[in-house]
Amino acid sequence: LTGVPREHRAYQYLLAHAIPGDPRHVLQTFDRWCYHCEHLSCWVPRRVLSRAGRIVERLLAERAPLRVLELGTYCGYGTVLLAQGLLPGARLYTVEGNPQHAAVAEKVIRLAGFDEQMVELIVGSSEEVIPRLREKHGLSKADFVFMDHWKRCYLRDLRLLESHQLLAQGAVILADNVLFPGAPHFLQYAKTCGRYRCRVHRASLEY
C-alpha cells in the first residue's frame, strides 16, 4: 500500500532501532522485525542461535579465513553475521544480482560498522562476477565460500570457482538449503566428484 518494498521497510526499522556500529545488535533488531512485523528470508535468526548459525560461527573460528566469498547477499543479514566472525585483516566479498536488494544490503552492512576495506559488495549475477573476481576485485583464492543464492546456480557456480582456480587448498564451501528447497545436482556432485569431503547438516527454517 505504501509503495515501499518490505526490504526498505526493514531497513527503516533498523535505522530507528539498531545501534550503529554494533553488528550483533543490528542482527537482533533484524530478527525482531522478521519475527513481529514481516518475514524476510534472512538466513538464520540470532534470537536463539540456530544450528546453522552455530555451524558458521564454529567454522569461522576454526578456519580463521582471510578471504571469504558470499554468493547471495539479499539484505545483508548473512553478510553481517559472516563479517563479525572474521579476524582483523580478513576480507569478505559478497555478490548480489538484484540491484534493489544490493542497495539495501549496502546500507545494512555499513550500518553494522563494516567499511569497504573489509566487506566489498559486488552487484551482478554470480555467473558474470565469478570469472572476473581475480582481475577486477583482487580475489586470488577464497578460503571460505558461502552459497545462499538461487539453488539452481549452486553447481554451475561451484564449477566456475573450480575452473577459474578460485578455491584455496582446504577451502570450506558452505551451501544453504540444499535439501529444501533443494539443490540435488550440486549435492550429488559434491558427494561423488572426489574433490570434497561432504557433510549434510540438518537445520530448521528461519523464524
Side-chain angles (χ1 to χ4, degrees), residues 32-178:
R32 286 200 301 273
W33 170 267
C34 293
Y35 273 114
H36 301 298
C37 300
E38 293 181 276
H39 173 265
L40 295 174
S41 297
C42 289
W43 187 36
V44 285
R46 285 207 47 103
R47 171 183 282 188
V48 178
L49 190 61
S50 69
R51 179 178 174 83
R54 291 195 299 270
I55 292 167
V56 171
E57 291 195 337
R58 175 177 58 80
L59 287 173
L60 291 176
E62 289 177 355
R63 301 297 182 121
L66 293 178
R67 296 293 178 266
V68 176
L69 174 64
E70 179 187 31
L71 301 177
T73 316
Y74 189 40
C75 291
Y77 185 104
T79 312
V80 172
L81 184 61
L82 288 166
Q84 73 173 2
L86 299 182
L87 295 175
R91 186 168 174 80
L92 169 59
Y93 302 80
T94 182
V95 180
E96 174 55 48
N98 184 310
Q100 288 74 34
H101 294 167
V104 174
E106 180 84 38
K107 297 174 184 178
V108 171
I109 293 164
R110 306 312 169 207
L111 180 66
F114 302 111
D115 61 22
E116 293 181 0
Q117 295 303 310
M118 185 171 184
V119 179
E120 179 179 352
L121 174 59
I122 305 168
V123 183
S125 71
S126 54
E127 185 177 19
E128 296 175 348
V129 169
I130 289 173
R132 50 190 174 89
L133 279 172
R134 179 179 287 109
E135 180 179 349
K136 186 171 182 179
H137 301 281
L139 175 60
S140 57
K141 291 186 182 295
D143 307 303
F144 192 105
V145 178
F146 178 62
M147 294 184 172
D148 193 21
H149 55 322
W150 293 107
K151 314 314 165 196
R152 64 176 181 270
C153 300
Y154 279 17
L155 178 56
R156 181 201 69 194
D157 289 348
L158 178 58
R159 299 299 299 270
L160 278 174
L161 291 169
E162 292 173 348
S163 64
H164 287 84
Q165 300 181 340
L166 288 167
L167 297 175
Q169 184 175 1
V172 172
I173 300 164
L174 188 62
D176 199 20
N177 305 125
V178 294

